[in-house]
Amino acid sequence: MKKILSWLLFVLSFTCYSQTITIKDRGTDLPIDLVSIASEEPKAFVITNAKGQADISSFKSSEKIQLRMLGYKVVTMSFKELEDSAFIINLEPSGISIDEVVVSATRWNQMSKDIPARITAISAKDIALQNPQTAADLLGSSGEVFIQKSQQGGGSPMIRGFSTNRLLYTVDGVRMNTAIFRSGNIQNVISLDPFAVEKTEVLFGPGSVIYGSDAIGGVMSFQTLLPELTATDKTMITGKAVTRYSSANNEKSAHFDINVGWKKWASVTSFSVNDFGDLKMGSHGPKEYLRPFYVQRVDSVDVVVTNPDPQIQRPTSYSQINMMQKIRFRPNDKWDVQYAFHYSETSTYSRYDRHIRYKNGLPRYGEWNYGPQKWMMNNLSVTHNGNNKVYDQMTIRAAHQYFEESRYDRDINKSIRHIRIEKVDAYSLNVDLNKSFGIKHKIFYGLEAVRNDVKSKGIDENIVTGISQAGPSRYPKSTWTSYAAYLSYTFKVSERFLIQAGARYNQYQLNAVFDTTFYPFPYTTAKINNGALTGSLGFVFRPTPKWAISTNVSTGFRSPNVDDAGKVFDSEPGSVIVPNPELKAENAYNAEIGIAKVFGESVKIDVTGYYTVLQNAMVRRDFTLNGSDSIMYDGELSQVQAVQNAAVATVYGIQAGIDVKLSSGFGLSSDFNYQVGTEEVDDGTVSPSRHAPPWFGVTRLIYTHERLSMQIYGVYSGSKKFEELPQEEQAKTEIYAVDKNGRPWSPGWYTLNYKAMYKFTDNFSVSAGLENISDQRYRPYSSGLVAPGRNFIISVRADF
C-alpha cells in the first residue's frame, strides 16, 4: 500500500512540475525573464519570472501557444509539444521583427501588428545598459523623445511637437497627470525610479479614446516591477542590488529590490537613493553658456561670487529617494489582485534657468528654488479572467495619488521670500474590459472617474526678521473631475487586413473658489462643466508577414484644468497670468500613415508621417482685469494676461527608423525625427511652435556576444536660427547662444558615446560608459540647463 501511495505522489508531483515551463537563452543557457506566453483558445496569458519559469497549467489543451520576447525568435507550439519537450524551451536570438507585445494602445496585452498607431518600447535590458539617471533620461534614450531641462532636477519630454500637459503619463495603468500640470515645462516624470521600471512604452499621437484628456501628442506608459510568483512548490527569492557613479555631476546612486514569491502570494520591495552634485558642462562650445559667477548669501547679504570653474553650473545639485512596495495575490487562474505603494521625494533644488536671468547687469534673483517634490501613490488593481458573455477579462484599478510641490523665490538683496505651496489629492477609478467574438472581432471598453482636489497656499517671509505672513496663492481652492466611457473595436478582416475604430465621451467639471484678498477678481467662484467626444479609425494591411502598412485618423482633447483656468503667476518679467473661468477644451485632429518592411532576416525599415491640427488651443494672450490691462504683482507693475481659447496650431513631421543585424553579433540601428510646428500669435500672424524641437536622432553600432553587450552611438540635433525660434523663445536671451548679429539662436550639436556591459557570472555584472567623448558644450533646444560634458559612468550589479 505504501508503494502505491508513493507512486501516486510521484505521479502527482511530476504532473505539477511538468506544467512549469522554463525558458532559457540558447546561447548562454541563462533564464529569460518577462517572456510573454499567450494562447487564444483557451484564453490564457502569463509571463516568466526571474528564473525564466511560469505556471502554464491554464494552457492545457491549447493547440497554439506563442512564446514571445523582444530580441528572440517567436516560438509557436501546442501544449502537447511543450509537454514532449519536458517544458524546457531554449529561445534563439532573432534577426528582425515588426511584432512585439505592448499594452499602451488599449491597456491590454496586444501584438503591435494589430495596432495602427506607432509605439516604441524600452526594455529593462536597454535600461541596464544605458544607465539613465532619471526617468526623463530613460525616455530620451529611445531616440524618439526630445527632453528639455530647465534644471538638473527635471526633464520635460517633447513628442511630435507637443509637451507638458498635452502629453499623458501613466504608471501601471494609472493616470499621473493632475489638474495643475501646466503648459510650461514640467518635471513630474523624475518622480519615477528608472531602477524600478520593467518596461516603458511610448504611444505616439492622440490616445484620448483610451486615456482621455491630455493625450494629444502621445502617451508615456511606465510599467514597474511586477511581483513574481513561483512556478514550483519552492519559495522563490530573487532581486538585485545596484550601485552607480557618474563623473559629470559626481552622481552616487544605489538601488536594492527583492521579490519573494510563493504559489499564490508574492511581494516585491524596491528602494533607491540618488545624490547628484553640480553639473559640469563640456569644454567646446558657445562661451555664452559658461557660468562665470553665482549668488551666495554671506553675512545676511547676497554676494555675487566668481565661479572658480565656469563650466560647473552652480547651483544644480539635488538628491532623491524612491520607495515601492507591491503585494500580489493570485488564488487561481481566474483572479489576480495587486496592491502597490509608491513614494518619491526630492531635496530642494534650484531652477537653474532663473538663476541665469539678469536685471540691470546683476542676477535678478537671490534665490529661486523648487521645494521638495513629493509623490505618493496607492494603487489597488483586480483582474478577473471571466470568459463570460460580458467580458473575457476585466481589470478594476482604484488609486489615490498625493502630489506636493513648492516654489521659493526672492529678488537679489531683497528681504521678502515668496513661498508658494501646492498640494493635490488625485483619486481615480478605472474599469477596463475586453471581449472577443470568435477570432475576427474584439472589443475593448471601459469607464473612468477622476477627481483632483487642489489646495494652494502663499506665504511671504521676511528672511531678516523671520516674520511670515499670508501671501497670494498660486491657485484657487479647486476640484477638477472627469467622467468617461469608451469603446474600441477591432475587426480582423483577414490575416492581412485589420480595422480598428474607437470612441470616447468625457464630461469634465471644474469648481474653484477665489480669494480676493490680494487681487480684486470680479468673481469669487468659477464653474466649468463641458463634454468632449473623441474618436479614432485605423487600418493595418500586411501584404506579407514582413511588410506592414498602417493608417490612422484620430482626435484628442485637453480639458481646461486648474492651472489653465485659475492660476496667478508671473510668466516672465513684467507679465502676470490671471484666471479665466470661460475656458473650453482644445481639440486635436491627427492623421498618419506608417510603413514597416523587413528585408530577409537582417534589415528593418519603418517610416511614419503625421499631420496634427490643434483647434481652440489654450494660449496666453493679453487680458484685462476689472477693465485694467496692468496690475501690481509682487511689487512690479505687470501686463495682465490670461489663458484663452485663441489659437490654431499645426504640427507635421516624420519619424523614421532602421535596424540592421550584421554578422558575428554586430548590429546597427538609427532613429530620426523631424517635426515642424506653427501656432497663431497675438496679432494673427504665425510663429514657430515652442514645443517643436529641431530635428534630432540617435545612431548606434551594437555588438553582442554571449555575456558582452557594447554600443558606440551618436546623439544629434539640428539648430534653430533666430528667425526659426518661437517669439516667446526669442525673448529668453539668457538660455541661448548669440549669433553674429547679437541675436539669440540654438546651435545644433552632437555627442559620441560608448556603453558596455559584461556579465561575469549569472549573478554579477558590470556596466560602464563614456558619454560625450569629445566634451561638447551644448544646450538642447529650449533648455536652461547646459548638457553634461564628458561623463564617465560605472555601475555594478549583483542579482540573486
Side-chain angles (χ1 to χ4, degrees):
M1 185 65 179
K2 288 183 178 180
K3 289 183 177 179
I4 294 174
L5 288 173
S6 298
W7 183 82
L8 286 172
L9 288 171
F10 173 79
V11 170
L12 287 171
S13 64
F14 179 80
T15 301
C16 179
Y17 175 76
S18 67
Q19 293 173 25
T20 297
I21 192 171
T22 301
I23 302 178
K24 298 181 178 182
D25 183 294
R26 182 177 294 277
T28 64
D29 202 40
L30 294 174
I32 307 176
D33 192 9
L34 303 177
V35 178
S36 300
I37 306 172
S39 167
E40 282 295 324
E41 196 63 46
K43 286 193 174 297
F45 180 87
V46 295
I47 60 174
T48 56
N49 59 29
K51 302 289 187 182
Q53 297 177 329
D55 183 350
I56 59 169
S57 55
S58 59
F59 289 75
K60 277 186 177 179
S61 76
S62 176
E63 292 297 322
K64 186 179 179 181
I65 301 172
Q66 288 194 328
L67 286 64
R68 290 180 178 271
M69 180 65 183
L70 187 63
Y72 292 88
K73 292 182 178 179
V74 177
V75 172
T76 303
M77 302 176 72
S78 67
F79 188 87
K80 180 65 170 60
E81 290 170 328
L82 291 176
E83 192 173 33
D84 292 342
S85 67
F87 295 102
I88 298 175
I89 302 296
N90 294 300
L91 295 187
E92 294 184 26
S94 67
I96 296 290
S97 174
I98 55 176
D99 207 6
E100 63 176 303
V101 178
V102 295
V103 299
S104 57
T106 61
R107 296 183 184 268
W108 296 100
N109 290 298
Q110 271 187 290
M111 303 313 302
S112 56
K113 69 178 182 180
D114 296 332
I115 300 167
R118 184 183 182 94
I119 296 176
T120 192
I122 308 169
S123 68
K125 187 176 180 181
D126 297 328
I127 297 171
L129 178 62
Q130 291 299 322
N131 271 309
Q133 292 189 346
T134 68
D137 298 330
L138 186 161
L139 290 165
S141 70
S142 69
E144 298 182 71
V145 179
F146 191 91
I147 302 297
Q148 180 277 351
K149 290 187 179 183
S150 297
Q151 64 280 327
Q152 189 171 201
S156 189
M158 296 183 183
I159 299 176
R160 287 192 175 183
F162 295 100
S163 187
T164 61
N165 54 15
R166 290 174 181 147
L167 302 175
L168 187 77
Y169 304 84
T170 69
V171 183
D172 295 333
V174 177
R175 174 192 182 91
M176 192 182 189
N177 292 41
T178 72
I180 64 170
F181 268 40
R182 58 189 181 275
S183 59
N185 297 306
I186 59 176
Q187 57 271 353
N188 299 76
V189 72
I190 70 167
S191 292
L192 302 177
D193 181 9
F195 286 116
V197 173
E198 208 160 60
K199 186 180 181 182
T200 302
E201 295 177 13
V202 181
L203 170 68
F204 295 94
S208 288
V209 167
I210 303 298
Y211 294 100
S213 178
D214 304 1
I216 289 178
V219 177
M220 292 157 285
S221 171
F222 296 89
Q223 302 159 40
T224 60
L225 296 173
L226 174 72
E228 295 180 341
L229 303 164
T230 184
T232 68
D233 290 328
K234 293 182 178 180
T235 301
M236 181 184 70
I237 301 177
T238 59
K240 64 179 179 289
V242 184
T243 60
R244 184 177 64 216
Y245 172 79
S246 300
S247 63
N249 56 359
N250 199 29
E251 177 213 8
K252 297 175 284 293
S253 293
H255 168 80
F256 176 81
D257 66 68
I258 182 171
N259 184 100
V260 182
W262 297 273
K263 290 290 288 185
K264 295 183 179 181
W265 290 87
S267 166
V268 63
T269 304
S270 172
F271 180 80
S272 298
V273 58
N274 311 94
D275 183 75
F276 306 106
D278 291 324
L279 182 65
K280 185 173 183 178
M281 66 182 77
S283 302
H284 310 293
K287 65 180 186 301
E288 295 89 0
Y289 295 169
L290 293 171
R291 178 71 161 150
F293 48 79
Y294 60 97
V295 177
Q296 270 191 336
R297 188 78 174 169
V298 180
D299 296 328
S300 301
V301 177
D302 291 325
V303 179
V304 179
V305 178
T306 299
N307 191 352
D309 186 348
Q311 289 179 238
I312 294 180
Q313 300 172 80
R314 294 184 170 95
T316 53
S317 63
Y318 80 104
S319 59
Q320 181 170 337
I321 61 168
N322 282 83
M323 295 180 285
M324 183 184 76
Q325 175 63 55
K326 286 188 177 183
I327 297 173
R328 182 182 184 187
F329 176 52
R330 191 169 182 262
N332 50 49
D333 294 337
K334 297 289 185 180
W335 292 93
D336 195 338
V337 181
Q338 296 182 42
Y339 165 75
F341 170 78
H342 298 259
Y343 184 79
S344 172
E345 182 174 348
T346 70
S347 65
T348 297
Y349 55 96
S350 300
R351 180 167 174 179
Y352 183 72
D353 65 338
R354 292 298 172 96
H355 282 269
I356 59 175
R357 184 172 283 181
Y358 303 101
K359 184 178 181 180
N360 299 326
L362 290 174
R364 173 173 178 174
Y365 295 101
E367 58 180 298
W368 211 118
N369 303 318
Y370 285 111
Q373 178 174 292
K374 301 176 183 179
W375 171 64
M376 180 184 71
M377 180 169 77
N378 291 277
N379 178 22
L380 177 66
S381 67
V382 180
T383 299
H384 182 231
N385 296 314
N387 295 322
N388 54 44
K389 293 183 179 180
V390 179
Y391 61 86
D392 294 331
Q393 294 174 296
M394 174 184 69
T395 293
I396 300 174
R397 294 182 182 88
H400 166 252
Q401 298 178 80
Y402 172 77
F403 300 82
E404 181 177 328
E405 57 187 56
S406 52
R407 295 160 176 80
Y408 298 75
D409 69 87
R410 180 179 57 82
D411 286 351
I412 192 167
N413 289 320
K414 300 294 184 180
S415 60
I416 300 300
R417 174 187 290 146
H418 305 290
I419 303 172
R420 305 294 180 260
I421 303 172
E422 287 76 54
K423 299 178 180 180
V424 180
D425 284 288
Y427 306 89
S428 61
L429 178 65
N430 292 83
V431 181
D432 300 295
L433 311 97
N434 68 62
K435 177 66 181 175
S436 295
F437 301 92
I439 61 173
K440 290 183 176 290
H441 307 275
K442 190 168 188 175
I443 60 171
F444 305 90
Y445 62 106
L447 303 170
E448 180 184 70
V450 179
R451 177 188 172 104
N452 284 190
D453 292 329
V454 178
K455 297 178 182 178
S456 184
K457 180 168 67 173
I459 301 171
D460 291 337
E461 177 189 8
N462 188 312
I463 64 171
V464 175
T465 65
I467 297 174
S468 297
Q469 62 183 23
S473 62
R474 184 177 172 90
Y475 299 114
K477 184 178 180 181
S478 310
T479 298
W480 182 88
T481 56
S482 170
Y483 305 97
Y486 75 89
L487 172 69
S488 180
Y489 167 62
T490 299
F491 176 30
K492 196 171 185 178
V493 181
S494 67
E495 287 297 321
R496 295 184 176 183
F497 189 59
L498 177 143
I499 303 172
Q500 187 178 81
R504 178 189 183 102
Y505 181 76
N506 226 107
Q507 190 73 19
Y508 55 87
Q509 299 175 344
L510 172 62
N511 292 288
V513 178
F514 293 93
D515 182 356
T516 58
T517 303
F518 301 96
Y519 302 111
F521 298 126
Y523 39 75
T524 57
T525 62
K527 293 185 178 181
I528 296 176
N529 187 352
N530 279 307
L533 179 66
T534 55
S536 64
L537 177 64
F539 305 90
V540 179
F541 176 56
R542 296 174 66 98
T544 72
K546 295 184 178 183
W547 176 257
I549 303 171
S550 61
T551 61
N552 190 37
V553 291
S554 56
T555 63
F557 78 100
R558 187 174 74 82
S559 61
N561 62 20
V562 176
D563 185 85
D564 299 310
K567 176 173 59 179
V568 179
F569 88 115
D570 60 327
S571 60
E572 57 194 18
S575 296
V576 60
I577 302 293
V578 299
N580 177 14
E582 302 299 323
L583 283 174
K584 296 182 180 180
E586 56 186 17
N587 299 283
Y589 303 89
N590 177 76
E592 61 186 270
I593 181 169
I595 300 174
K597 171 68 174 173
V598 173
F599 299 89
E601 296 291 331
S602 58
V603 179
K604 181 185 81 169
I605 295 176
D606 65 270
V607 180
T608 301
Y610 59 89
Y611 187 90
T612 306
V613 177
L614 184 68
Q615 294 186 338
N616 290 323
M618 288 182 269
V619 294
R620 274 200 335 256
R621 292 287 186 267
D622 289 345
F623 200 60
T624 60
L625 186 63
N626 292 330
S628 176
D629 62 2
S630 299
I631 62 172
M632 295 299 296
Y633 180 80
D634 282 346
E636 182 176 353
L637 186 65
S638 300
Q639 169 71 50
V640 175
Q641 295 183 326
V643 176
Q644 304 170 54
N645 296 108
V648 174
T650 61
V651 181
Y652 64 88
I654 293 175
Q655 295 173 280
I658 181 170
D659 285 295
V660 181
K661 292 287 186 181
L662 304 172
S663 59
S664 303
F666 284 94
L668 178 72
S669 71
S670 187
D671 289 288
F672 179 79
N673 308 268
Y674 174 79
Q675 50 281 312
V676 176
T678 60
E679 60 184 35
E680 288 181 317
V681 292
D682 284 348
D683 59 5
T685 60
V686 172
S687 170
S689 173
R690 175 187 176 190
H691 293 136
W695 57 262
F696 68 97
V698 60
T699 299
R700 309 179 193 272
L701 178 63
I702 304 164
Y703 176 73
T704 303
H705 178 68
E706 296 182 349
R707 296 174 180 267
L708 175 65
S709 298
M710 293 193 301
Q711 286 188 5
I712 297 175
Y713 62 99
V715 183
Y716 38 85
S717 174
S719 64
K720 273 188 179 285
K721 298 178 182 179
F722 175 78
E723 297 82 4
E724 298 170 324
L725 287 175
Q727 287 187 7
E728 62 180 298
E729 292 296 302
Q730 291 176 354
K732 299 176 182 177
T733 56
E734 69 273 9
I735 69 172
Y736 287 106
V738 177
D739 66 15
K740 62 182 180 180
N741 296 314
R743 302 176 304 178
W745 75 299
S746 180
W749 52 267
Y750 74 92
T751 63
L752 183 64
N753 315 270
Y754 172 77
K755 295 284 177 65
M757 181 169 62
Y758 188 77
K759 203 170 183 66
F760 288 91
T761 69
D762 293 354
N763 305 104
F764 182 75
S765 60
V766 175
S767 59
L770 190 61
E771 297 177 332
N772 194 359
I773 295 172
S774 57
D775 205 26
Q776 298 296 305
R777 182 189 305 146
Y778 68 99
R779 181 178 261 146
Y781 164 74
S782 193
S783 293
L785 189 74
V786 183
R790 186 180 295 118
N791 184 32
F792 172 71
I793 304 169
I794 185 166
S795 176
V796 178
R797 170 171 169 164
D799 295 270
F800 58 91

